[in-house]
Amino acid sequence: MSNLDKLVLNDESIDDLQLKGLKLIQKKDAFRFGVDAVLLSDFSRVKSKHRVIDLCSGTGIIPFLLMGKYNPEEVVALEIQNDMADMAERSVKLNSLEDKIKVYNRDLKDIDFLKSIGRFDVLTVNPPYKINNGGIVNPSDKLAIARHEVMCTLEDVIKAARTLLKDNGRMYMVHRPERLADIMVLMRKYKIEPKRVRMVHPNTKKAPNIVLIEGQRDGGSFLKWEESLYVYNDNGEYSDEINRIYGRSEV
């Protein structure tokens, strides 16, 4: 059995991220990363000297995108689901990035553990979007855990960010526009000041379905509302900016 066979299970695939040769292990027929992760990695402002942590990391897509785009000093991935964290850890080995990306299979509500791993310059998170209205979701359903607030709430995420960020550290989140008021109220509750907001629309005719938001720990009150991003143009083709973000040229 080759080293590759040991790293990749029968129901998994290796996906080329088309970024510095990086590859990601994912399930063939289960939760896979989407446009949200790609948009968040582009929206985040990361420098090579930064120490970064990604919460609700799943199979580790955002840490790998951040590493490929910005080459920060270190990226820590935090994921509560065992199989997701295991896939992320094997992707780290697949890319020989053990010295740059660290995966923790831990609960972000464990504040003592969060304090034990130190502070970070940047925190990213693509959290579960849907409020868990008691009883509608099976806690053993891995897809539901990724999409619904089963294992953690929005407040849990922002409370964790307060603990993990350095003074003036930056938090970057991708979420749904209908939760924007909740996000801002909770960020201020934990003294993370909203600094930038960007709405993402499917096209110029439709309402936004994604929001990107940046907050600063103990930052001053000044909010910049950025120009909207449109995934498709009026011709039904990917917009120039989406092509830029994905690193592809228009055909």
Side-chain angles (χ1 to χ4, degrees):
M1 181 182 289
S2 69
N3 288 335
L4 186 60
D5 290 332
K6 292 177 183 177
L7 289 175
V8 184
L9 305 181
N10 289 335
D11 63 342
E12 296 171 346
S13 63
I14 298 176
D15 294 316
D16 187 345
L17 299 181
Q18 299 183 345
L19 180 68
K20 307 284 179 62
L22 294 173
K23 296 175 174 60
L24 187 76
I25 298 170
Q26 297 191 94
K27 293 290 186 186
K28 293 176 182 176
D29 300 311
F31 183 81
R32 300 172 70 85
F33 80 88
V35 67
D36 295 17
V38 179
L39 295 177
L40 181 60
S41 67
D42 181 75
F43 183 73
S44 302
R45 292 175 175 172
V46 178
K47 296 180 180 178
S48 59
K49 64 182 180 180
H50 281 165
R51 187 168 189 245
V52 182
I53 186 164
D54 181 55
L55 304 183
C56 309
S57 202
T59 56
I61 178 58
I62 292 172
F64 284 102
L65 292 174
L66 295 177
M67 191 59 65
K69 287 174 177 285
Y70 309 111
N71 192 30
E73 184 176 303
E74 178 188 17
V75 182
V76 170
L78 198 67
E79 171 53 45
I80 194 169
Q81 296 195 69
N82 297 348
D83 60 336
M84 294 273 198
D86 177 64
M87 271 188 283
E89 183 63 46
R90 285 184 281 118
S91 288
V92 171
K93 293 176 181 176
L94 180 67
N95 291 282
S96 300
L97 284 171
E98 292 94 333
D99 61 332
K100 299 282 282 185
I101 299 178
K102 174 68 176 176
V103 180
Y104 289 109
N105 179 203
R106 299 295 294 256
D107 188 342
L108 61 78
K109 299 191 296 295
D110 185 347
I111 299 299
D112 288 338
F113 170 73
L114 300 187
K115 290 178 178 177
S116 76
I117 58 176
R119 297 283 188 88
F120 296 82
D121 302 284
V122 171
L123 179 146
T124 56
V125 60
N126 180 4
Y129 294 143
K130 299 180 180 180
I131 296 173
N132 184 29
N133 295 319
I136 63 167
V137 175
N138 178 356
S140 66
D141 184 334
K142 300 183 191 316
L143 188 59
I145 290 171
R147 290 179 174 170
H148 293 255
E149 293 183 350
V150 177
M151 295 297 190
C152 69
T153 65
L154 181 59
E155 182 161 9
D156 292 331
V157 168
I158 293 173
K159 182 179 180 181
R162 173 71 194 181
T163 301
L164 289 163
L165 284 172
K166 292 180 178 178
D167 293 342
N168 296 311
R170 303 277 176 156
M171 173 184 185
Y172 298 93
M173 179 188 289
V174 59
H175 216 292
R176 293 293 178 255
E178 60 268 24
R179 300 295 304 278
L180 185 55
D182 297 332
I183 293 167
M184 288 189 169
V185 166
L186 287 167
M187 287 175 82
R188 278 200 159 170
K189 176 179 177 179
Y190 290 96
K191 296 181 173 59
I192 298 174
E193 185 64 23
K195 304 299 287 185
R196 268 197 310 147
V197 172
R198 190 173 200 194
M199 292 295 186
V200 182
H201 303 243
N203 57 47
T204 60
K205 305 294 192 298
K206 292 185 177 180
N209 61 347
I210 295 172
V211 62
L212 299 160
I213 184 165
E214 172 188 340
Q216 183 179 23
R217 188 184 195 271
D218 296 321
S221 57
F222 182 86
L223 178 65
K224 180 182 179 183
W225 199 276
E226 297 198 337
E227 182 179 345
S228 292
L229 169 60
Y230 300 98
V231 176
Y232 294 97
N233 61 29
D234 290 340
N235 297 325
E237 299 171 342
Y238 283 116
S239 67
D240 290 346
E241 188 163 13
I242 286 293
N243 282 322
R244 174 194 66 76
I245 290 170
Y246 273 85
R248 61 195 177 210
S249 58
E250 290 190 89
V251 178

